[in-house]
Each structure stands twice: as C-alpha cells, then as structure tokens.
Amino acid sequence: MTQKSMNDLQKEVDQYIGQFKEGYFSPLAMMARISEEVGELAREINHTYGEKPKKSSEKEKKIEEELGDVLFVLICLANSLNIDLEKSHNLVMDKFNTRDKDRWTRINE
C-alpha cells in the first residue's frame, strides 16, 4: 500500500462523500459523530489495556479500526469547513515547538 499525504487523505474522503447526494453532515452532527467514535475508541482501549474485559457476546474490534473511524470523521469535518489539515498540523507543531519548547524534559538532556 502506498503512503498517502494528509492532502491525499482529504481528497480521497472528499471523492468518497462526493458520490452521495447527502454530502457532508452538518458540523454539529459530525462533532456528535466524532464524540461517538472517540467513545468507541476509548472502549476498545479500556478492553485492551484497562480493567474491563469484553463480554463474550461483544464483537471483536481493533484499536486500529477505531482510530481509522475517528480519522475519517475528523477529515469529513475538516473538508466540510474547508480546513487544510496539514496546515492545522503545522500550526499546532509550531505552537509546541515555540510556546511549549521547554515544557518537557528532553531525552538527550
């Protein structure tokens, strides 16, 4: 499988959503969906690393799949608001590398 840039991911999701008349959900509906997907991710992490084992009747899911669901909905939200996630990432990394540059103890210190 070839590596995809964030821009590639955003275009792929946009092409997928673009084939349906309904298009993107409203930002508020997508925020609710992100919350739902993050909850499912939390449940899987709790089952895998926490003290709460799955019930025998529960379907086996993977953390990887749940992270993918969160990413998909996040990309949908960004696309619907015309937000370039690569730019968003760069803004956050700049913040971490300036404002928070001395916040944590570096390994090589």
Side-chain angles (χ1 to χ4, degrees):
M1 189 182 267
T2 31
Q3 276 199 313
K4 299 174 186 175
S5 69
M6 185 57 72
N7 188 268
D8 293 336
L9 295 176
Q10 285 192 255
K11 284 180 182 175
E12 184 177 10
V13 169
D14 196 56
Q15 288 172 350
Y16 174 78
I17 297 296
Q19 66 184 325
F20 303 109
K21 289 180 182 179
E22 294 81 3
Y24 290 107
F25 296 152
S26 70
L28 187 57
M30 280 192 275
M31 190 62 232
R33 192 151 169 238
I34 287 173
S35 298
E36 177 185 335
E37 296 298 350
V38 168
E40 291 176 14
L41 173 60
R43 184 175 178 83
E44 288 306 310
I45 289 174
N46 192 27
H47 288 318
T48 303
Y49 299 104
E51 290 74 34
K52 185 180 177 192
K54 277 189 185 229
K55 296 175 188 170
S56 58
S57 61
E58 285 183 288
K59 180 182 164 192
E60 187 63 35
K61 283 192 172 181
K62 294 182 179 173
I63 293 172
E64 179 181 36
E65 181 182 347
E66 296 302 339
L67 278 169
D69 289 344
V70 171
L71 180 60
F72 179 82
V73 180
L74 183 66
I75 291 171
C76 285
L77 178 60
N79 284 355
S80 75
L81 299 172
N82 295 312
I83 293 173
D84 179 334
L85 284 172
E86 188 174 337
K87 284 183 181 178
S88 295
H89 171 77
N90 291 340
L91 287 169
V92 169
M93 290 309 297
D94 184 56
K95 177 176 60 178
F96 288 140
N97 287 316
T98 55
R99 183 193 74 189
D100 294 339
K101 67 182 171 95
D102 297 321
R103 186 173 187 180
W104 309 107
T105 306
R106 297 193 184 271
I107 292 171
N108 57 1
E109 289 180 353

